[in-house]
Amino acid sequence: MAVFGVLAAALGLLGLIAPDALIAAMGFDSTAESRRAEGDHTLVFVTASSMAAVNMGVYYVLASLADWKPFFRWTVPFRLLTCTVFTLTVLSGRAPSGMIGVAVWEGLGAVVTGAALRYEAKRDVRE
């Protein structure tokens, strides 16, 4: 979980420092600020999402350091929900196909987290 937290915080920082680089890293077409249409708030949205990613990354790192298992259990269903919403967003045409990578990241993260929690619970029972 600490690794996920560090990656989330790092990508959040990238979005705060260089939002167009984050947009390109996700596989989306990046538009130079000088070519953005009036009222295009893409960079505002990326900034807000990036700040949320920094915060979330710090939460994950702190929860890892405290070995706070209830926090990790709570993340599993919500990350699966996020995976589902992002996948449906791509399938419905509301988001470009590059967004599927974010959906896979969330879904895989949820499955790995759930499996690790289950493994630890079984290991603890045996000891």
Side-chain angles (χ1 to χ4, degrees):
M1 296 309 291
V3 171
F4 173 78
V6 169
L7 288 173
L11 288 172
L13 287 173
L14 176 62
L16 291 173
I17 296 165
D20 285 319
L22 179 63
I23 291 168
M26 291 176 61
F28 300 127
D29 292 332
S30 182
T31 302
E33 193 166 347
S34 62
R35 294 183 46 217
R36 291 193 186 278
E38 181 73 28
D40 180 342
H41 299 292
T42 301
L43 296 181
V44 173
F45 178 76
V46 171
T47 299
S49 298
S50 294
M51 191 64 237
V54 169
N55 290 339
M56 182 179 59
V58 171
Y59 300 154
Y60 272 83
V61 170
L62 293 175
S64 293
L65 292 172
D67 197 27
W68 192 23
K69 290 191 177 44
F71 174 82
F72 303 133
R73 279 193 296 275
W74 298 333
T75 69
V76 173
F78 288 102
R79 291 186 78 186
L80 288 172
L81 176 62
T82 302
C83 172
T84 302
V85 169
F86 288 175
T87 299
L88 292 173
T89 302
V90 171
L91 293 176
S92 70
R94 289 182 56 197
S97 61
M99 188 71 168
I100 204 71
V102 180
V104 170
W105 165 268
E106 291 294 333
L108 187 58
V111 169
V112 169
T113 300
L117 288 167
R118 186 173 216 186
Y119 171 80
E120 285 187 357
K122 285 182 180 182
R123 185 191 66 196
D124 291 346
V125 168
R126 282 184 247 144
E127 292 178 357

